[in-house]
């Protein structure tokens, strides 16, 4: 895992789910982690947010698969 930069983030989870970043203003750079613990939580108006354990930032995502 190397973070995300705008809309180019695609996250493949170990359970097979695939999520895509939809927040161009959100960034988490300079990270190199091996299989970090992530949390996907619901937001307002049917939105979803992904956070990585140990980092105080989140990115708005949509489920692709």
């Amino acid at each position: 895992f190397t973070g995300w930069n705008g809309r180019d983030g695609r996250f493949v989870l170990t359970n097979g789910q695939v999520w895509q970043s939809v927040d161009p203003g959100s960034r988490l750079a300079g990270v190199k982690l091996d299989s970090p613990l992530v949390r996907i939580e619901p937001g307002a108006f049917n939105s979803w947010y992904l956070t990585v354990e140990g980092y105080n930032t989140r990115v708005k995502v949509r489920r692709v698969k």
Side-chain angles (χ1 to χ4, degrees):
F1 178 79
T2 58
W4 59 80
N5 184 6
R7 290 185 186 238
D8 60 354
R10 184 166 255 207
F11 310 100
V12 180
L13 306 183
T14 56
N15 65 2
Q17 292 181 356
V18 179
W19 294 80
Q20 176 76 42
S21 169
V22 294
D23 186 357
S26 181
R27 306 228 187 292
L28 178 61
V31 175
K32 290 186 180 180
L33 302 171
D34 186 30
S35 299
L37 199 59
V38 300
R39 181 173 293 159
I40 298 177
E41 300 175 307
F45 304 108
N46 213 16
S47 61
W48 294 92
Y49 291 91
L50 180 141
T51 58
V52 178
E53 184 178 56
Y55 292 88
N56 191 24
T57 188
R58 66 183 187 167
V59 62
K60 188 175 182 179
V61 293
R62 67 175 172 83
R63 188 166 175 187
V64 176
K65 177 180 167 191

